[in-house]
Every structure is written in structure tokens, then in C-alpha cells.
Amino acid sequence: MDFGTATKLILLHPTSIHKQPGGGGAATTHRLWLLLVVTLFTFTFLLTLINSTKHSPSTSAADSSASATAIHLLKPVTDALLHYAAAANITDRMTSAEMETISAAILSCSASSPCNVLIFGLTHETLLWKALNHGGRTVFLDENEYLISKYEQSLGTDFEGYDVQYTTKVSKFRELIDAVKDRRRNECRPVQNLLFSDCKLGINDLPNHLYVIPWDLILVDGPKGYSPKTPGRMSAIFTAAVLARSKKGGSGDKTHVFIHDFDREAERICSREFLCEENLVEVKDSLAHFVVGEMESDSFEFCRVSKGKGRKVKAALSSSRTTSS
């Protein structure tokens, strides 16, 4: 490359700024002012660039302030989500009180660290739970493989869901509970990895990694359980109870377990047997809230104290109905 011909150099000679005859002085003065303005602009730009480089920590502080502002905006967003979910004209949706109870638990869990949420059942509130646990992990389980695939097609990799094949029937729930109680020292014990379990109520065909995740919150709102021929939620409740008691790590040593349609007999009795009255925190409408702590691996009893013939459950349900009315 010929640098001699490719480079052009402009020289400003001192004599070029002297007044020239024929009125050229005004034009020269304008050129001088233009040169000064360009020089000043260049100097200012370089000075600003240097200062911004030197003070990069303040930029980080500004970014942190912006992040803090974004966090503060979360409550209005969640309020809006709850409002529109509650206002939907759908008969089988949760009540406002039920949604608010679960939402408060999810937001409290995710405030300090990413929250692991496991949900049985794809319902009207599915996208609400996923949105509220933004930044955490939300996994959905449902017996409808087609519905799972529809969500996967719609949300892509942002949705994690798996289909479950239930073999139980609501009409057999008492027999199933008795079978578990007879084998609670073996395959139906409260602390175990269900992947290797042959317990009749244990769900053992999920992806392997789901059994070792420390679940912070579990919601049982499926499968269907409104008639004797439907699968019922016995397996979901038992599995939730075992996962909570076998928890290692996560945001704490306890798991919040919510059972929807708690006023139905199968859900109520299974919860009393495996989640236990001692862990019942409250009942909102037909939503029961349990807080279940982990157990030692050599534990064989789900409940530490006597179940009390359901007195606490009955009292909670009675209180909930009185409040609702």
C-alpha cells in the first residue's frame, strides 16, 4: 500500500488567518469560530468519556437503583395478575382468597432466593403461578398429555411440564390409604426417594431429577377427583407429603403444601393421614395450607402426634365457611 498517496494532510498556516483584501476577512473569521467550536466539542466529548470511565462504580450504583425500582414495581404487577385471574368468568377457578393465599406464599419464598414450586394440575391459574414465581423454577404435572404439549408449544422452553399416568380411583381411596399404612415401614415410608418405591400411592415415573429438587412449595390442584371413577388426588397428596419430608436444601427446612378442594372427603382424609393436622396452618374457602418439615430417614410415622379424629380439620373448615359467608 502506498501511504504517501493515500494520506492527505491539511496544514493551517498562521498567515491564512490574516485579513485578505476583497472582503475575505469575514469568511476567515467564520472559519476560525467554526474551528474553535469543533475543538471545544471534541474536548468536551473526550473529557466526558474519561470521567464516565473513571466513575464506573457510580454507573453500577445507578443500575442497582434501577433494579431496586423494578422490584418495587412487582407488587402492582402481581395485584393486576390476581385481579384479572379472579375476575375471569370461569366456574372452576379458585376464589380470590385462595389465590391470594398461594400468591403470598410464592412471593415470600421468592423474595430471598429462587423458589422451587411443584404444581399438580393444569388449571385456569397455571400462568398466574408461573408469572408469580418469576426467576424461580415452576414444574407442572398433569394427567392430560395433550394439554401439556399445548402449553409447551405456546410457551416453549419457558414451560416445564410432565404428564402423569394415575392408576387410582376415588372410589378406592380408603383401601389405598389402608395399604399405605400397612407398608409405612417399607415402600410407603415418609422419607424416601420415590423413584425407587413400589408404594401404591407413590408417583415413581417422573423424570429422575424431580425427586431430588428441594421443593419449597407444592400445590395439589389435580388430577380430577369430582366423581368415584376419576383418579382422585390421593397419589398427589401422598407424593407431596413424602417430597416435603425428604427435602434437603432449598430456601428452608419446611415445605408449604396447599391442597385445593379440601372440603371433599378424599382430599380431606388423605391430607389428615399424610400431611397431618399438626401441620395445618389455615383453611381458606376450600384451600388447606400445611407447612411440613423434613424428617429423619429412619422415621416411619407421617404424623408426630395423634390425628385427633379430625377435630382441627373440622374446626378449620367450619371457620372458613363462617368467614366466607
Coordinates of all heavy atoms in Angstrom, one line a residue, residues 89-153:
N89 N -64.5 -15.1 34.2 CA -65.8 -15.8 34.3 C -65.7 -17.3 34.0 O -66.2 -17.8 33.0 CB -66.8 -15.1 33.3 CG -68.2 -15.5 33.5 OD1 -68.6 -16.0 34.5 ND2 -69.0 -15.4 32.4
I90 N -65.1 -18.0 34.9 CA -64.9 -19.4 34.8 C -65.4 -20.1 36.1 O -65.0 -19.6 37.2 CB -63.4 -19.8 34.6 CG1 -63.0 -19.1 33.2 CG2 -63.2 -21.3 34.5 CD1 -61.5 -19.4 32.9
T91 N -66.2 -21.1 36.0 CA -66.8 -21.7 37.2 C -65.8 -22.5 38.1 O -66.0 -22.5 39.3 CB -67.9 -22.6 36.7 OG1 -67.4 -23.6 35.8 CG2 -69.0 -21.8 36.0
D92 N -64.8 -23.1 37.5 CA -64.0 -24.0 38.3 C -62.7 -23.3 38.7 O -61.7 -24.0 39.1 CB -63.6 -25.3 37.6 CG -62.9 -25.0 36.2 OD1 -62.9 -23.8 35.8 OD2 -62.4 -26.0 35.7
R93 N -62.6 -22.0 38.7 CA -61.4 -21.3 39.1 C -61.4 -21.2 40.7 O -62.4 -21.4 41.3 CB -61.4 -19.9 38.5 CG -62.5 -19.0 39.0 CD -62.3 -17.5 38.5 NE -63.4 -16.6 38.9 CZ -63.5 -16.1 40.1 NH1 -62.6 -16.4 41.1 NH2 -64.5 -15.3 40.4
M94 N -60.2 -20.8 41.2 CA -60.1 -20.6 42.6 C -60.8 -19.3 43.0 O -61.0 -18.4 42.2 CB -58.7 -20.5 43.0 CG -57.9 -21.8 43.1 SD -56.3 -21.6 43.7 CE -55.7 -23.3 43.7
T95 N -61.1 -19.1 44.3 CA -61.6 -17.9 44.8 C -60.5 -16.9 45.0 O -59.3 -17.2 45.0 CB -62.4 -18.1 46.1 OG1 -61.4 -18.5 47.1 CG2 -63.5 -19.1 46.0
S96 N -60.8 -15.6 45.1 CA -59.8 -14.6 45.4 C -59.0 -14.9 46.6 O -57.8 -14.7 46.6 CB -60.5 -13.2 45.5 OG -61.1 -12.9 44.3
A97 N -59.7 -15.3 47.7 CA -59.0 -15.6 48.9 C -58.0 -16.7 48.8 O -56.9 -16.7 49.3 CB -60.0 -15.9 50.0
E98 N -58.4 -17.7 48.0 CA -57.5 -18.9 47.8 C -56.2 -18.5 47.0 O -55.1 -18.8 47.3 CB -58.2 -20.0 47.0 CG -59.3 -20.6 47.9 CD -60.2 -21.5 47.1 OE1 -60.3 -21.4 45.8 OE2 -61.0 -22.3 47.7
M99 N -56.5 -17.7 45.9 CA -55.4 -17.2 45.1 C -54.4 -16.3 45.8 O -53.2 -16.4 45.7 CB -55.9 -16.6 43.8 CG -56.4 -17.5 42.8 SD -56.8 -16.7 41.2 CE -58.4 -15.9 41.6
E100 N -55.0 -15.5 46.7 CA -54.1 -14.5 47.4 C -53.3 -15.3 48.4 O -52.1 -14.9 48.7 CB -55.0 -13.5 48.1 CG -55.6 -12.5 47.2 CD -56.7 -11.6 47.9 OE1 -56.9 -11.8 49.1 OE2 -57.3 -10.8 47.2
T101 N -53.8 -16.4 49.0 CA -53.1 -17.1 50.0 C -51.9 -17.8 49.3 O -50.7 -17.7 49.9 CB -54.0 -18.2 50.6 OG1 -55.1 -17.6 51.3 CG2 -53.2 -19.0 51.6
I102 N -52.1 -18.4 48.2 CA -51.0 -19.1 47.5 C -50.0 -18.1 47.0 O -48.7 -18.2 47.1 CB -51.5 -19.9 46.3 CG1 -52.4 -21.0 46.9 CG2 -50.4 -20.6 45.5 CD1 -53.2 -21.8 45.8
S103 N -50.5 -17.0 46.4 CA -49.6 -15.9 45.9 C -48.7 -15.3 47.0 O -47.5 -15.1 46.7 CB -50.4 -14.8 45.3 OG -51.2 -15.3 44.2
A104 N -49.2 -15.1 48.1 CA -48.4 -14.6 49.2 C -47.3 -15.5 49.6 O -46.1 -15.1 49.8 CB -49.3 -14.3 50.4
A105 N -47.6 -16.8 49.6 CA -46.5 -17.8 49.9 C -45.4 -17.8 48.8 O -44.2 -17.9 49.1 CB -47.2 -19.2 50.1
I106 N -45.8 -17.8 47.6 CA -44.9 -17.8 46.5 C -44.0 -16.6 46.5 O -42.7 -16.6 46.4 CB -45.6 -17.9 45.1 CG1 -46.3 -19.2 45.0 CG2 -44.6 -17.7 44.0 CD1 -47.1 -19.4 43.7
L107 N -44.6 -15.4 46.7 CA -43.8 -14.2 46.7 C -42.9 -14.1 47.9 O -41.8 -13.6 47.8 CB -44.8 -13.0 46.7 CG -45.6 -12.7 45.5 CD1 -46.6 -11.6 45.6 CD2 -44.7 -12.5 44.3
S108 N -43.3 -14.6 49.1 CA -42.5 -14.6 50.3 C -41.3 -15.6 50.0 O -40.2 -15.3 50.4 CB -43.3 -15.1 51.5 OG -42.5 -15.2 52.6
C109 N -41.6 -16.7 49.4 CA -40.5 -17.7 49.1 C -39.4 -17.1 48.2 O -38.2 -17.3 48.4 CB -41.1 -18.9 48.6 SG -39.9 -20.2 48.0
S110 N -39.9 -16.5 47.1 CA -39.0 -16.0 46.1 C -38.3 -14.6 46.4 O -37.5 -14.2 45.6 CB -39.8 -15.8 44.7 OG -40.9 -14.9 44.9
A111 N -38.7 -14.0 47.5 CA -38.1 -12.7 47.9 C -36.7 -12.8 48.2 O -35.9 -11.9 48.0 CB -38.9 -12.1 49.0
S112 N -36.3 -13.9 48.9 CA -34.9 -14.1 49.3 C -34.0 -14.9 48.4 O -32.8 -14.7 48.3 CB -34.9 -14.7 50.7 OG -35.6 -15.9 50.8
S113 N -34.6 -15.9 47.7 CA -33.8 -16.8 46.8 C -34.8 -17.4 45.8 O -36.0 -17.4 46.0 CB -33.1 -17.9 47.7 OG -34.1 -18.6 48.4
P114 N -34.3 -18.0 44.8 CA -35.1 -18.6 43.8 C -36.0 -19.7 44.4 O -35.5 -20.5 45.2 CB -34.1 -19.2 42.8 CG -32.9 -18.3 42.9 CD -32.9 -18.0 44.3
C115 N -37.2 -19.8 44.1 CA -38.2 -20.7 44.7 C -38.5 -21.9 43.8 O -38.7 -21.7 42.6 CB -39.5 -19.9 45.1 SG -40.6 -20.8 46.2
N116 N -38.5 -23.1 44.4 CA -38.9 -24.3 43.7 C -40.3 -24.6 43.9 O -40.7 -24.9 45.1 CB -38.0 -25.4 44.1 CG -36.5 -25.2 43.7 OD1 -36.2 -24.7 42.6 ND2 -35.6 -25.6 44.6
V117 N -41.2 -24.6 42.9 CA -42.6 -24.8 43.1 C -43.0 -25.9 42.2 O -42.8 -26.0 41.0 CB -43.4 -23.5 42.7 CG1 -44.9 -23.7 42.7 CG2 -43.0 -22.3 43.6
L118 N -43.7 -26.9 42.8 CA -44.3 -28.0 42.1 C -45.8 -28.0 42.2 O -46.4 -27.9 43.3 CB -43.8 -29.3 42.8 CG -44.3 -30.6 42.2 CD1 -43.8 -30.8 40.7 CD2 -43.9 -31.8 43.0
I119 N -46.4 -28.1 41.0 CA -47.9 -27.9 41.0 C -48.5 -29.1 40.3 O -48.2 -29.5 39.1 CB -48.3 -26.6 40.2 CG1 -47.7 -25.4 41.0 CG2 -49.8 -26.5 40.1 CD1 -48.0 -24.1 40.4
F120 N -49.4 -29.8 41.0 CA -50.2 -30.9 40.4 C -51.5 -30.3 39.8 O -52.3 -29.8 40.5 CB -50.6 -31.9 41.4 CG -49.4 -32.7 42.0 CD1 -48.6 -32.2 43.0 CD2 -49.1 -34.0 41.5 CE1 -47.6 -33.0 43.5 CE2 -48.1 -34.7 42.0 CZ -47.3 -34.2 43.0
G121 N -51.6 -30.4 38.4 CA -52.8 -29.9 37.8 C -52.6 -28.7 37.0 O -52.0 -27.7 37.5
L122 N -53.0 -28.7 35.7 CA -53.0 -27.5 34.9 C -54.4 -26.9 34.9 O -55.4 -27.6 34.6 CB -52.7 -27.9 33.4 CG -51.2 -28.3 33.2 CD1 -51.1 -28.8 31.7 CD2 -50.3 -27.1 33.4
T123 N -54.5 -25.7 35.4 CA -55.8 -25.1 35.7 C -55.9 -23.7 35.1 O -54.9 -23.2 34.4 CB -56.1 -25.0 37.2 OG1 -55.1 -24.2 37.8 CG2 -56.0 -26.4 37.8
H124 N -56.9 -23.0 35.4 CA -57.1 -21.6 35.0 C -56.0 -20.7 35.5 O -55.6 -19.7 34.9 CB -58.4 -21.1 35.5 CG -58.6 -19.6 35.4 ND1 -58.7 -18.9 34.2 CD2 -58.7 -18.6 36.3 CE1 -58.8 -17.6 34.4 NE2 -58.8 -17.4 35.7
E125 N -55.4 -21.1 36.7 CA -54.4 -20.3 37.4 C -53.0 -20.6 37.0 O -52.0 -20.0 37.5 CB -54.5 -20.4 38.9 CG -55.8 -19.9 39.5 CD -57.0 -20.8 39.3 OE1 -56.7 -22.1 39.1 OE2 -58.2 -20.4 39.4
T126 N -52.8 -21.5 36.1 CA -51.4 -22.0 35.7 C -50.5 -20.9 35.4 O -49.4 -20.8 35.9 CB -51.5 -23.0 34.5 OG1 -52.2 -24.2 34.9 CG2 -50.1 -23.4 34.0
L127 N -50.8 -20.0 34.5 CA -49.9 -18.9 34.1 C -49.7 -17.9 35.2 O -48.7 -17.3 35.3 CB -50.5 -18.2 32.9 CG -50.5 -19.0 31.6 CD1 -51.1 -18.2 30.4 CD2 -49.2 -19.6 31.2
L128 N -50.7 -17.8 36.1 CA -50.5 -16.9 37.3 C -49.4 -17.4 38.2 O -48.5 -16.7 38.6 CB -51.8 -16.8 38.1 CG -51.8 -16.1 39.4 CD1 -51.4 -14.6 39.2 CD2 -53.1 -16.2 40.2
W129 N -49.4 -18.7 38.5 CA -48.4 -19.3 39.4 C -47.0 -19.2 38.7 O -46.0 -18.8 39.4 CB -48.7 -20.7 39.7 CG -50.0 -21.1 40.2 CD1 -50.8 -22.1 39.8 CD2 -50.8 -20.3 41.1 NE1 -52.0 -22.1 40.5 CE2 -52.1 -21.0 41.3 CE3 -50.6 -19.1 41.8 CZ2 -53.1 -20.5 42.1 CZ3 -51.6 -18.7 42.7 CH2 -52.8 -19.4 42.8
K130 N -47.0 -19.4 37.4 CA -45.7 -19.3 36.7 C -45.1 -17.9 36.7 O -44.0 -17.6 36.9 CB -45.8 -19.8 35.3 CG -44.5 -19.9 34.5 CD -44.7 -20.4 33.1 CE -43.4 -20.5 32.4 NZ -42.6 -19.3 32.5
A131 N -46.0 -16.9 36.5 CA -45.6 -15.5 36.5 C -45.2 -15.0 37.9 O -44.2 -14.3 38.0 CB -46.7 -14.6 36.0
L132 N -45.9 -15.4 38.9 CA -45.5 -15.0 40.3 C -44.2 -15.6 40.7 O -43.5 -15.0 41.5 CB -46.6 -15.5 41.3 CG -47.9 -14.8 41.1 CD1 -49.0 -15.4 42.1 CD2 -47.8 -13.3 41.4
N133 N -43.8 -16.7 40.2 CA -42.5 -17.3 40.6 C -41.4 -17.0 39.5 O -40.6 -17.8 39.3 CB -42.7 -18.9 40.7 CG -41.5 -19.5 41.4 OD1 -40.8 -18.9 42.3 ND2 -41.1 -20.7 41.0
H134 N -41.5 -15.8 39.0 CA -40.5 -15.4 38.0 C -39.1 -15.4 38.6 O -38.9 -14.9 39.7 CB -40.8 -13.9 37.6 CG -39.9 -13.4 36.6 ND1 -39.8 -13.8 35.3 CD2 -38.9 -12.4 36.7 CE1 -38.8 -13.1 34.7 NE2 -38.3 -12.3 35.5
G135 N -38.2 -16.1 37.9 CA -36.8 -16.2 38.4 C -36.6 -17.5 39.2 O -35.5 -17.9 39.4
G136 N -37.7 -18.2 39.5 CA -37.6 -19.5 40.2 C -37.9 -20.6 39.2 O -38.1 -20.4 38.0
R137 N -38.1 -21.8 39.8 CA -38.4 -23.0 39.0 C -39.8 -23.4 39.3 O -40.2 -23.7 40.5 CB -37.4 -24.1 39.2 CG -37.7 -25.3 38.3 CD -36.6 -26.3 38.5 NE -36.6 -27.3 37.4 CZ -35.6 -28.2 37.2 NH1 -34.6 -28.2 38.0 NH2 -35.8 -29.1 36.3
T138 N -40.7 -23.5 38.3 CA -42.1 -24.0 38.4 C -42.3 -25.2 37.5 O -42.1 -25.1 36.3 CB -43.1 -22.9 38.1 OG1 -42.7 -21.7 38.9 CG2 -44.5 -23.3 38.5
V139 N -42.7 -26.3 38.1 CA -42.9 -27.5 37.4 C -44.4 -27.9 37.5 O -44.9 -27.9 38.6 CB -42.0 -28.6 37.8 CG1 -42.3 -29.9 37.1 CG2 -40.5 -28.3 37.7
F140 N -45.0 -28.3 36.4 CA -46.4 -28.7 36.4 C -46.5 -30.1 36.0 O -45.8 -30.6 35.1 CB -47.2 -27.8 35.4 CG -47.2 -26.4 35.7 CD1 -46.3 -25.5 35.2 CD2 -48.2 -25.9 36.5 CE1 -46.3 -24.1 35.5 CE2 -48.3 -24.5 36.8 CZ -47.3 -23.6 36.3
L141 N -47.4 -30.8 36.7 CA -47.7 -32.2 36.5 C -49.2 -32.4 36.2 O -50.0 -31.8 36.9 CB -47.3 -33.1 37.7 CG -45.9 -33.0 38.2 CD1 -45.7 -33.9 39.5 CD2 -44.9 -33.4 37.1
D142 N -49.5 -33.1 35.1 CA -51.0 -33.3 34.8 C -51.2 -34.6 34.1 O -50.2 -35.1 33.4 CB -51.4 -32.1 33.9 CG -52.9 -32.0 33.8 OD1 -53.5 -31.3 34.7 OD2 -53.5 -32.6 32.9
E143 N -52.4 -35.1 34.2 CA -52.7 -36.4 33.5 C -53.0 -36.3 32.1 O -53.1 -37.3 31.3 CB -53.8 -37.1 34.2 CG -55.2 -36.5 34.0 CD -55.6 -35.4 35.0 OE1 -54.7 -34.8 35.5 OE2 -56.8 -35.3 35.2
N144 N -53.2 -35.0 31.6 CA -53.5 -34.8 30.2 C -52.3 -34.4 29.4 O -51.8 -33.3 29.4 CB -54.5 -33.6 30.2 CG -55.2 -33.4 28.8 OD1 -54.5 -33.8 27.8 ND2 -56.4 -33.0 28.7
E145 N -51.8 -35.4 28.7 CA -50.6 -35.3 27.9 C -50.8 -34.2 26.8 O -49.8 -33.5 26.5 CB -50.1 -36.6 27.3 CG -48.8 -36.6 26.5 CD -48.5 -37.9 26.0 OE1 -49.2 -38.9 26.2 OE2 -47.4 -38.0 25.3
Y146 N -51.9 -34.2 26.2 CA -52.2 -33.2 25.1 C -52.2 -31.8 25.7 O -51.6 -30.9 25.0 CB -53.6 -33.5 24.6 CG -54.1 -32.4 23.6 CD1 -53.6 -32.4 22.3 CD2 -55.0 -31.5 24.0 CE1 -54.0 -31.4 21.4 CE2 -55.5 -30.5 23.1 CZ -55.0 -30.5 21.8 OH -55.4 -29.5 20.9
L147 N -52.7 -31.6 26.9 CA -52.7 -30.2 27.4 C -51.2 -29.8 27.8 O -50.9 -28.6 27.6 CB -53.5 -30.2 28.7 CG -53.9 -28.8 29.2 CD1 -54.6 -28.0 28.2 CD2 -54.8 -29.0 30.5
I148 N -50.4 -30.7 28.2 CA -49.0 -30.4 28.5 C -48.3 -30.0 27.2 O -47.6 -29.0 27.2 CB -48.3 -31.7 29.1 CG1 -48.8 -32.0 30.5 CG2 -46.8 -31.5 29.0 CD1 -48.2 -31.1 31.5
S149 N -48.6 -30.7 26.1 CA -48.0 -30.4 24.8 C -48.4 -29.0 24.3 O -47.7 -28.3 23.7 CB -48.2 -31.4 23.8 OG -49.6 -31.5 23.5
K150 N -49.7 -28.7 24.6 CA -50.2 -27.4 24.1 C -49.5 -26.2 24.8 O -49.1 -25.2 24.2 CB -51.7 -27.3 24.4 CG -52.6 -28.2 23.5 CD -52.5 -27.8 22.1 CE -53.2 -26.6 21.8 NZ -53.2 -26.2 20.3
Y151 N -49.3 -26.4 26.1 CA -48.5 -25.4 26.9 C -47.1 -25.3 26.4 O -46.5 -24.2 26.3 CB -48.5 -25.7 28.4 CG -49.7 -25.1 29.1 CD1 -50.9 -25.9 29.3 CD2 -49.7 -23.8 29.5 CE1 -52.0 -25.3 30.0 CE2 -50.8 -23.2 30.2 CZ -51.9 -24.0 30.4 OH -53.0 -23.5 31.0
E152 N -46.5 -26.4 26.1 CA -45.1 -26.4 25.6 C -45.0 -25.7 24.2 O -44.0 -25.0 24.0 CB -44.6 -27.9 25.5 CG -44.4 -28.5 26.8 CD -44.0 -30.0 26.7 OE1 -44.3 -30.6 25.6 OE2 -43.4 -30.6 27.6
Q153 N -46.0 -26.0 23.4 CA -46.0 -25.3 22.1 C -46.2 -23.8 22.2 O -45.6 -23.0 21.5 CB -47.1 -25.9 21.2 CG -46.9 -27.3 20.8 CD -48.1 -27.9 20.1 OE1 -49.0 -27.2 19.7 NE2 -48.1 -29.2 19.9

